[in-house]
Structures are given as structure tokens and as C-alpha cells.
Amino acid sequence: MTEQNTRLYITVKEFIKQGIEQQRWKEHKRVPSENELVETCKVSRMTARRALDELTEEGVLYRVQGRGTFVAPKKLYSPMLKIRNIAEEIIERGGNYSNELILLQKEQCPTHLLERFELEEGDDIYHSIMVHKDNDKPIQIEQRYVNPKAAPDYLKQDYASITPNVYLSKVAPLTEAEHQIEAREADPFMQVTLKLQDNEPVLCIDRATWSNDTLVSYSQLYHPASRFRITGRFKTEHQLTEL
Amino acid sequence: MTEQNTRLYITVKEFIKQGIEQQRWKEHKRVPSENELVETCKVSRMTARRALDELTEEGVLYRVQGRGTFVAPKKLYSPMLKIRNIAEEIIERGGNYSNELILLQKEQCPTHLLERFELEEGDDIYHSIMVHKDNDKPIQIEQRYVNPKAAPDYLKQDYASITPNVYLSKVAPLTEAEHQIEAREADPFMQVTLKLQDNEPVLCIDRATWSNDTLVSYSQLYHPASRFRITGRFKTEHQLTEL
DNA sequence: TATGCTAAGTTGTATATACAACCAAAAACC
DNA sequence: GGTTTTTGGTTGTATATACAACTTAGCATA
């Protein structure tokens, strides 16, 4: 059979991923072999194989010739691009997520961003500022400029229920991200909003995200420096810049 | 024919990569199609396809259905891991690099690192502390623990002429790196060494590097927080951790 | 001239088959 | 009992074939 619309290898991938999700196959345990998948999923071996291969490439599985295919231990690092959502993160660790929308509007693109967004003087851009909280304690200020071409309905979303991150990754799946991380002096707004101690700096992440070579969003995330850490497996070139 | 020892798809990959290297196919130009490779390389289409697929996955090529397979533009972000060398960086921007070696010795591995390095209580490890300077102004404290198995001659190097980074990347090319970035309070040693202002925090990078699954080095890099920024294109999952 | 259609070429998905390489456990052997 | 061999199962490589989906350019038609 040749039915492209379904894309059988994706179906098989989903089948495996679900099984792992539901703990049917646990870490380091064997998942069905290629031949078993041929039987249960009614596909050819090459199709089953492709599914297992891609999941291996994605770090979900690992394979040992002569023995089988196994569930990889919890991905500490995933080769996929995934920017974690702060709401998810808070919920995952048992917190109580909420947010406060401070600004959400269309405005003229600031001059220093014109070039990055490939816009002309006077062009509009979306701008939002919100504060993310855990148990009503502010933990992140998020200022964000969004490309109207990439996310035309950005202003119409209900950000009480979803974060900008979630919406944006839906309409424009990220393919690239660029970050700058630095510690900065806090301005009075941050000091009040994040309830900083005297002289406590903020840990600032500048993040630009692309979707297929168009800049989707430029955001600045501020955290109380004394309370946060950024962790990651950076498989990339990075560089230290003197200010 | 079934000859595993040669692995035809690798031959085809090499063929394509060489052609790109030798500028036979330039950026955004078409490389041979699957069917053309079948002819010129005398392989089946699936084998040619696998070669092109893997090179696409590696970022060397990109494919457009219905049009062809093309040479990807010069990797702005390299899929390879490259950790920039601070000496190079300083020289590049016209500075005057020097360093001061504070400690270089063999010692018993600290208990909190035993597990990471897969060592037993009492096993030896190499330990170095140095200060990197630009125009005699200290800009980075580097504390480093090095796996003796991965870099047995670590203690014998002359670190006036090369940095640990350069030596290590020569003997054990990195394949992975994990980082933690945070702002910390400075201890008295850092305060004096980095000539910090009162209450100025340090921007700290914890970095672990692997070479083919063996942990080569665990290092901590400290910078004056008010003067430095970390930049990168992070194609990865990263995560914010509350302390 | 402008529009729509066709044909050729390309990548994408899927199947069926064959043998190589490797592993682990069972069987055969001494 | 301990060692070697066999056997079955698994992943890895390679081929041949078929059709789907898409792009482009050229041709036919209105």
C-alpha cells in the first residue's frame, strides 16, 4: 500500500512514543523489534526501521546490534530544539503558576530592532510585557517583541490560559534560537516587580527566535540573579563578550 | 551486491562532501540527484538517498521536494561543537592576552566529582587554577579538573604558550558539553583576584566536556558579572532552575 | 497574449527481499 | 562440569520496485 497522507512511519513513531509515555516500556527496556512492529503495526520492516532510526536519532531510543532497541534514559539533552516553557517548568516541579499581563499592544518598531526584524521605519510590531509568578512570587519579567507577519494574531490570544511561548511555537515552530546571557543592574521597575534585595542584579536572557529564517520574536527575560541558574547541554559555538 | 565492509552510503557521503570541499558544488547549488548518484556511484537509489539524507541531517545539504538537493550555506552555527578559546577571543578583538598560573597539580579527586569522572575514592585527578588577563586586567578565573586517562600529559604542558583549552581539544576532541550559567556571590579570593567592586557578583559558567562519552574536564569559569556577556546560538533544550 | 495543461525530473513514502554482523542462549561435545 | 558449536533472533547494509507529492518549463489552447 502507498498512502502518503497517513505517513506510516510517523504512526509507528507515535506508537512507540506513546508506549514510553505510558511506561509500557521503561528506561533501558526493550521496545518491539523491527519484525515485531511489522506484525503489530502491519508495515514493512523498512518502515518500522525508519521509525526506530529516527527515534534513535532524536535520543528517545538506543539500539544495539544483535540485541535490540531500548528506551534511552531520560533525555538530559535532546538534539531537538526546544525552548522550555516557564509555566510548564513551574508546574513540573510542583509549583503554582500564574502570570500578570502588564502590556500588550501594537506599536511602531523601535529603531534598534528595525534591522533585526527587517522592517522599515514606522512599521508596526507587537509588544508585550508580562510577569510570570510561582505561588504569586514573581520569578520572571518577560518583555517581547513579535513579528506581525509571523504571528498575526499575537494580540488576540488569551494569555491567562497560554503563554506567548506556547502560542508562538504553535504558529511558528522554532528552527533557531540565539541567546545572550548576562547579569545586569536592575532598574527600579525590575526592583519593585521582582521584589529584589538591595543591589541584587538580574540575570538577563536575550533571546531571538527564528522560524524558517524569519525572525519571529525578540524577547528579554529577567530573573533575580541570586535565585536562578540556566542549565543546558549546548552543542554549539558560544562566546564570551566583554561589554 | 552486499559488501558491508565498504559501507557504500559512507562512500557516497564522502564523494559529496569532497565535492563541496573542492567547490565543485557551491552554496545553494544543486548536488547530483538521487538518480544521478545511482549512475555515477553505481549504487541503488535507496543508498544514494541515505547518503543525502544523512548529510541533510548534518546540516551540510538541504533538500526541496520537486527541485533537488542543494549545498547548505556556510554554517553560521556549526553543528560541530566548538568552544571558543578565551585567548583567541582576546587577541581577535585586539587585546593583549596573558595568564597567571596559580595552581597545577595532581591530587585526590574530590568526592563530589568521583561519580562524574567515574573514579574511585583515592584516585588521582589533575587540578589547575589560572587567571586569564587582557592587558594585565584579570577577566576570568578558570578552575579545572581534568581526567588523567583522557589527558595524561596535562601537567607537563607549558601554559604560558597555550591554554588548557587548546591542549585538551588537541588530545581529546570534544563531542559534548554541558553548561550551567548563574550569577553568584563572590568569595574573597575572587574579589581580590578579579578586582571586583563591592557586592559585584560573578557570572559563573560550570562546564563539563566529553570526548566520545568520557568526561574529559570539569571546569568553572568566573567573570565579573557587570562586564561580561555570554552569547551563542543554542540549538538545544535548556532550562531554568530555581536554586 | 495570457492561461491552463502536460510532461519530465526530483524528492518523499512504502514494500519485499537478501545477506552481513552481531549477540545470547541452547545444544552438543569432551 | 566446563568448553565449544550451533541456532535463532536482532540490527545493519544494500538492492529493486512502485507510486505519491511537488516543481519547473514548455506546450497547447482559448
Side-chain angles (χ1 to χ4, degrees):
Chain A
M1 237 175 307
T2 348
E3 290 197 25
Q4 269 62 26
N5 284 0
T6 50
R7 286 195 290 180
L8 298 183
Y9 74 91
I10 287 185
T11 313
V12 178
K13 279 177 75 173
E14 291 302 327
F15 172 69
I16 299 289
K17 280 201 281 190
Q18 271 186 32
I20 294 171
E21 184 85 18
Q22 296 163 10
Q23 308 257 1
R24 199 137 66 82
W25 304 299
K26 301 193 178 153
E27 281 184 27
H28 296 291
K29 296 302 175 192
R30 233 201 63 188
V31 301
S33 74
E34 296 173 359
N35 284 322
E36 287 165 351
L37 286 174
V38 167
E39 300 258 312
T40 61
C41 292
K42 311 289 183 205
V43 295
S44 76
R45 190 188 147 208
M46 290 309 276
T47 300
R49 181 172 181 71
R50 174 165 183 182
L52 296 178
D53 267 346
E54 291 196 2
L55 287 174
T56 301
E57 183 64 30
E58 292 168 22
V60 177
L61 303 174
Y62 64 93
R63 322 191 74 182
V64 183
Q65 187 171 6
R67 289 188 40 205
T69 306
F70 306 86
V71 179
K74 252 295 192 359
K75 45 173 180 190
L76 289 171
Y77 53 100
S78 152
M80 284 181 19
L81 177 72
K82 180 180 168 188
I83 289 188
R84 286 180 58 95
N85 177 293
I86 190 158
E88 261 176 40
E89 240 173 88
I90 290 171
I91 290 163
E92 247 175 49
R93 65 171 179 243
N96 193 341
Y97 175 77
S98 63
N99 69 49
E100 183 187 343
L101 191 60
I102 294 186
L103 183 145
L104 180 62
Q105 65 180 24
K106 183 164 73 173
E107 64 184 52
Q108 286 192 4
C109 181
T111 46
H112 67 283
L113 293 178
L114 284 173
E115 202 175 353
R116 292 201 91 154
F117 278 101
E118 297 176 8
L119 293 177
E120 304 292 325
E121 185 82 45
D123 283 352
D124 282 334
I125 197 167
Y126 299 151
H127 184 194
S128 65
I129 300 177
M130 64 194 307
V131 183
H132 300 278
K133 301 179 181 182
D134 178 12
N135 279 322
D136 294 322
K137 191 173 60 176
I139 59 171
Q140 183 187 80
I141 299 175
E142 174 195 305
Q143 169 165 238
R144 194 185 281 271
Y145 290 94
V146 173
N147 190 337
K149 287 176 220 153
D153 297 327
Y154 184 69
L155 298 181
K156 296 179 198 159
Q157 304 307 309
D158 173 20
Y159 291 114
S161 55
I162 62 163
T163 62
N165 210 333
V166 171
Y167 166 65
L168 288 174
S169 56
K170 210 175 290 176
V171 297
L174 324 182
T175 52
E176 293 287 326
E178 190 176 289
H179 295 79
Q180 291 190 345
I181 301 168
E182 68 182 294
R184 286 190 202 152
E185 214 177 336
D187 65 28
F189 170 71
M190 297 177 199
Q191 220 158 54
V192 173
T193 311
L194 293 176
K195 296 178 183 161
L196 300 174
Q197 293 155 21
D198 290 352
N199 291 324
E200 185 181 353
V202 287
L203 194 56
C204 172
I205 304 173
D206 277 22
R207 175 195 287 168
T209 53
W210 282 262
S211 182
N212 303 319
D213 294 328
T214 48
L215 180 58
V216 173
S217 143
Y218 175 74
S219 56
Q220 292 169 301
L221 312 174
Y222 300 96
H223 304 88
S226 61
R227 278 179 25 225
F228 284 90
R229 177 162 57 197
I230 299 156
T231 309
R233 273 177 107 106
F234 301 154
K235 215 171 185 171
T236 178
E237 181 165 357
H238 74 276
Q239 157 172 14
L240 204 69
T241 308
E242 189 161 10
L243 299 177
Chain B
M1 237 175 306
T2 345
E3 290 197 24
Q4 270 62 27
N5 284 0
T6 51
R7 286 194 290 180
L8 299 183
Y9 74 92
I10 288 186
T11 313
V12 178
K13 279 177 76 173
E14 292 300 328
F15 172 69
I16 299 288
K17 280 202 280 191
Q18 271 186 32
I20 294 172
E21 185 84 17
Q22 296 163 10
Q23 307 259 0
R24 199 138 65 82
W25 305 298
K26 302 196 177 148
E27 282 184 25
H28 296 292
K29 296 300 174 192
R30 232 201 64 187
V31 301
S33 74
E34 295 173 358
N35 284 322
E36 287 164 352
L37 286 174
V38 168
E39 300 256 313
T40 61
C41 293
K42 311 290 184 206
V43 295
S44 76
R45 189 186 149 209
M46 289 309 274
T47 301
R49 179 173 183 72
R50 174 165 182 182
L52 296 178
D53 266 347
E54 291 196 3
L55 288 174
T56 300
E57 182 64 30
E58 291 168 21
V60 176
L61 303 174
Y62 65 92
R63 321 191 75 183
V64 184
Q65 187 170 7
R67 290 190 40 205
T69 306
F70 307 86
V71 179
K74 230 352 173 325
K75 43 185 177 183
L76 285 172
Y77 48 101
S78 153
M80 286 180 18
L81 178 72
K82 179 179 169 190
I83 289 187
R84 286 180 60 95
N85 177 293
I86 191 159
E88 260 177 40
E89 241 174 88
I90 289 171
I91 290 162
E92 245 175 50
R93 65 172 179 242
N96 192 342
Y97 175 77
S98 64
N99 69 52
E100 183 187 343
L101 190 61
I102 295 185
L103 183 146
L104 179 63
Q105 67 180 22
K106 182 165 73 174
E107 63 183 53
Q108 286 193 4
C109 180
T111 46
H112 67 282
L113 292 178
L114 284 173
E115 203 175 352
R116 292 201 90 154
F117 279 100
E118 296 176 10
L119 294 176
E120 302 294 323
E121 187 82 46
D123 283 352
D124 283 333
I125 197 166
Y126 299 151
H127 184 196
S128 64
I129 300 178
M130 64 193 308
V131 182
H132 299 280
K133 300 180 181 182
D134 179 12
N135 279 322
D136 294 322
K137 191 172 61 176
I139 60 171
Q140 182 185 79
I141 299 174
E142 173 195 307
Q143 168 166 238
R144 194 185 281 273
Y145 290 94
V146 173
N147 191 337
K149 287 175 220 154
D153 297 327
Y154 183 70
L155 298 181
K156 297 179 197 158
Q157 304 307 307
D158 172 20
Y159 292 114
S161 55
I162 61 162
T163 61
N165 210 333
V166 170
Y167 166 66
L168 289 174
S169 56
K170 211 177 288 177
V171 298
L174 325 182
T175 52
E176 292 285 327
E178 188 175 291
H179 295 79
Q180 290 191 346
I181 301 167
E182 68 183 295
R184 286 189 201 153
E185 213 178 337
D187 64 30
F189 170 71
M190 296 177 199
Q191 220 156 54
V192 172
T193 311
L194 293 175
K195 295 178 184 162
L196 299 176
Q197 292 155 22
D198 289 354
N199 291 325
E200 185 181 354
V202 287
L203 195 56
C204 172
I205 304 173
D206 277 21
R207 176 195 286 168
T209 54
W210 282 261
S211 183
N212 303 318
D213 294 328
T214 48
L215 180 59
V216 173
S217 143
Y218 175 75
S219 56
Q220 291 169 301
L221 311 174
Y222 299 97
H223 305 85
S226 59
R227 279 178 26 225
F228 284 89
R229 177 161 56 198
I230 299 157
T231 310
R233 274 176 106 102
F234 300 155
K235 210 169 189 169
T236 178
E237 179 167 358
H238 72 276
Q239 160 172 11
L240 204 67
T241 309
E242 189 158 11
L243 300 174

